[in-house]
Amino acid sequence: MKFSVTVILKKDVLDPQGKVVQNTLKDLGFLNLKNIRQGKFFEIELNENDEQKAKNAVKQMCEKLLANLIIEDFKISKTK
Amino acid sequence: MKFSVTVILKKDVLDPQGKVVQNTLKDLGFLNLKNIRQGKFFEIELNENDEQKAKNAVKQMCEKLLANLIIEDFKISKTK
Amino acid sequence: MKITNKIIENHGLKLNEYENIKKLLKREPNFLELGIFSAMWNEHCSYKSSRLHLKNLPTKGRQVIQGPGENAGVIDIGDDDAIVFKIESHNHPSFIEPYQGAATGVGGILRDVFTMGARPIALLNSIHFGSPKHPKTKSLLNGVVSGIGGYGNCIGIPTVAGETKFDETYNENILVNAMAVGHAKKNKIFYSKAKGLDKTVVYVGSKTGRDGIHGASMASAEFDEKSEEKKPTVQVGDPFTEKLLLEACLELMKDDSIIAIQDMGAAGLTSSSVEMASKGSLGIELELDKIPCREENMTPYEMMLSESQERMLIILEDGKEEYAKKIFQKWDLDFVIIGKTNNDKNLTLKFNKEVVGKIPIDALASKAPVYNREWVKKKPTQYKVDLKKLKKIKVEDALVKILSSPNHSNKSWITNQYDQMVMCDTIQRSGSDAAIIRIHNKDKAIAVSVDSSANYCKSHPITGGKQIVCENWRNLIAVGAKPLAITNCLNFGNPENKEVMGEFAECLIGIKEACEYLNYPVVSGNVSFYNGTNNKNIYPTPVIGGVGLIKNVSKPLGHNFKKIKSNIILVGKTFGHLGQSCFLRENYSINEGRPPEVNLANEKNNGEIILKLFEKNLLNSVHDISNGGLILALCEMSIGSGIGINISKPKKLRNILEYLFGEDQGRYILEVDSEKVKNVEKMLITNNIYYENIGLTQNKYFEIEGEFKINTNDLFKINNQWYNDF
Amino acid sequence: MKSSVIVFPGSNCDRDIAVALEKMQFKNQMVWHKETELPKSDLIIIPGGFSYGDYLRSGAIAGKSSIINEVIKAANSGCLILGICNGFQILTETGLLKGTLLRNKNLRFINKDVNIKVLNNETKFTSKYKKNQILRINIAHNEGNYFTNAKHLDEMREKNLIAFKYCDEKGNINTQSNPNGALNNIAGIYNSKKNILGMMPHPERMIDKLVSNDDGINLFSSLLK
Ligand SMILES: Nc1ncnc2c1ncn2[C@@H]1O[C@H](COP(=O)(O)OP(=O)(O)O)[C@@H](O)[C@H]1O
Ligand SMILES: [Mg+2]
């Protein structure tokens, strides 16, 4: 079973990387860019057929390691 | 208009980061983990109403800055 | 698979080379064997165009423990200490993917050094980019610098010196040369020569993937429009794993388990196994099923040609397998027995119990082609500078132009991205003539510097070759070190072009002469040909990396002025040579003319006396004079310290511009306390050294009497602008 | 005084800190991360470097290692803990210190000597310094941009938990003297019991005048008392 996970900085956390990327894109001429935020992306494959169990495992992975909950939020979605 | 972009290493390109994360998750007891790959994630908001134009702009952003096409692939999807 | 001419060509082999392969094998090679030949016979691994010329370099001396031919050179620095060092190019990969190209370049050269039993203690780099105006330059510079830093910082070895240059000639072919320096115990040096029959061959480190397949043949081909398609060969560096590999190897090296050890660099498993067997006149048999692979369904061909990083091949003493395995397991690294040595002098490859390839070792190594390529002498240019015919320019304006130019701007934008302090033995960081690294727990130190002068070499290769060796020597002298030996990275264009081959041959003649005269032998090096695109070749760019010894290390002088009212003494004769000077290039875009003459006798005498003055503690600061001449050297001494100068115009010379901007060789500036001037002058006179007392240091203002006066803070600003705007 | 230095795969300032501790006459031991027990120590140091290559987030993976549970136990029973650079990042990942270290504002690795001001000299780590003393000290990091929430910042101000701030040579704390974008120029912080110090600058690099200066010595000698 496959999942994709995105981890992104919470809204109130300063995002130095996103800011630099945004400025660079503006410099490159993308003037209609309103906002860009950068995060991490994970493609996770599990040996597990029970969707609920699998999802739970992925959630735990996020909580225990993949995201730093003090500053980051995560989102899980199933992919085929 | 909002898009989300994922950037991930091409297959066959060494992913040292993914390897370490995978081992750590195994050590933490996630034994049913088969494979994990790490990439980047961007949430992009544009001042643009024409979907085709907007998509094009995002594609160009990826090609010019967000992805390193030599070792990475990217995927764009429209979000609401 | 039927081997067609097309396949042969795609392997970078010429048809007559293929005929030769058939003769050596007495049959047609299969596809795997062809791949192996192509990896071993390409320029990068076989040195087929350069070998005849390299043979002439001086490689011996009392200080030399191991000259060229091993993973790195080894020199003696007294007591039981040895220094192991080498420089290597990673030009082509860095142009395609600057971050990873540069990073893996650093990783590769580090392995060369720790394979020999040395703990790396310093990294250096020489990087050349195209014109700052070229659209690719900015991202290449950014990528290369962060790649070099990314690898060195992570593995924890200080990057302490280097050089950064811009010139159109590198627009489509940048140069990224990395040098590593390590420290070992003299009686604990490890070599790559296999010994003994039936010994275990072990694979350690990272897994093998499909990366870099044909990397070595890429480094041996010119770029063309299609080189973008060669992208899948990009290797990704993993400094974290390399750190583990480094610690694991050094731990294993503490006892005597290792017979021979060789890193897998260019041409990976192929060249490492062939080299070990060839040096030991043995055969080697590998069972390829055992290779730890990262991807599924890898073929023997891919395994043998993969250039995955962070891997080593070790031949172990009998009965040491378990002991060694434990060490690598502790560091979470693969450790797999993949073969044995034997006496049949073949490289035998088995896959699923079947022999899939068998090639005589000597066909791959000693019988690889050697070419005596045609070359032509460079015709010296007749161009002479005539200042009267040029637009008038003020000294101050010319100086500002140079100081603010990309090539002469302060490099801290770069060096601040490198950890220069880790290991806590960096006594002199970047920014001076040479870096100084203390030998851990001892009172002695080494000085290191890398240098090149492509425009001198282009104009007159013999003089250029001599000049870089001398400049490098001078940089070590200027920090008080006795120069011991060099490594060299020879970056040239297409050797099949006889002008390029002539540049190569003549540069080497120059290097040889200077090294011989200065007793400054070459102990290791690397050749990178085919730097060019579609028949446009780069300027000949040999890079010299030198190591010198400081027996009793104390706080370094550096080149910053220390006090006001010190005397400024110029050592060496000033003729005002402006040919090939940065004065003409930056102010008039003139690239013609001859480089300054190199007088080896003066060079040696001047250098040796400076070392004596160091010994007697007579100096406040020292700087050598190179690009930009006297005035630029003085400026650099002022900018770092905020202390100005006051010098009068020369009485004898016809022209102030020639005097201040001339790039005559073999010169140094000394800052000397007024009480010590007599002493210094006496030593200079008794040793027949030409010198001039040119003025005094003063507070805040940089002043050439009757010409101009400028605040040193302004000089600082002018010199620090360019990168910040970049 | 017994000290232990935790060594993770990828730590690279472990030798440097050991040299400093020995020079200052600590009885020091190196502890490999796979150990499950800590030797009895008065001071535990988590050194700088790139534990696990800084992969995922700097300090994240080391923060999950088995030895870290022992460090947490020791910390809770009052043992002194010093995290330098990557060590600081690891301490925030474990939650022993609050807040986090983001990428440097300019997104580049920064190595240079900077000035920092000692804000609180009444702790076991800094008693030998004068209040508001300015130290010149080396930084070397990619992620030193300290960030925390407003509530925690207030708490730190109130309880005097900010150890060091980046400043200029005259002691001015402003944007120009902030190398990495850290909130309020924060270079190092304590936990509320002040037995844990995390700092980005490297005191172990400043114990030898030949290499740099000796502004770091008093940190170690404060601890010795
Ligand atoms: N890429 C680099 N990496 C590290 N140090 C560098 C680099 N480029 C320049 N430097 C440092 O900047 C200083 C000035 O360089 P350069 O002008 O080439 O010196 P010199 O003329 O004395 O050889 C030197 O200390 C050199 O080591
Ligand atoms: Mg110099």
Side-chain angles (χ1 to χ4, degrees), chain C residues 463-464 466-468 470 474 514 596-601 603 665:
Chain C
T463 308
K466 274 194 250 183
Q467 190 274 342
I468 25 168
C470 291
R474 218 178 295 142
E597 286 304 321
V598 173
N599 179 324
L600 291 171
E603 191 70 59
Q665 297 293 298

Side-chain angles (χ1 to χ4, degrees), chain C residues 432-433 451 471 475 623-624 626:
Chain C
S432 177
D433 292 319
D451 297 278
E471 168 153 9
N475 275 323
H623 195 17
D624 74 305
S626 60

Side-chain angles (χ1 to χ4, degrees), chain C residues 272-292:
Chain C
S272 52
S273 53
V274 169
E275 258 170 58
M276 292 173 100
S278 157
K279 283 187 185 141
S281 301
L282 292 169
I284 197 164
E285 181 179 305
L286 303 179
E287 288 178 62
L288 298 177
D289 336 45
K290 302 215 169 125
I291 305 288

Side-chain angles (χ1 to χ4, degrees), chain C residues 1-17:
Chain C
M1 191 187 295
K2 175 94 186 88
I3 289 175
T4 62
N5 288 0
K6 181 98 188 122
I7 292 179
I8 295 166
E9 237 171 70
N10 285 345
H11 278 79
L13 289 163
K14 300 268 146 68
L15 292 180
N16 61 339
E17 289 175 334

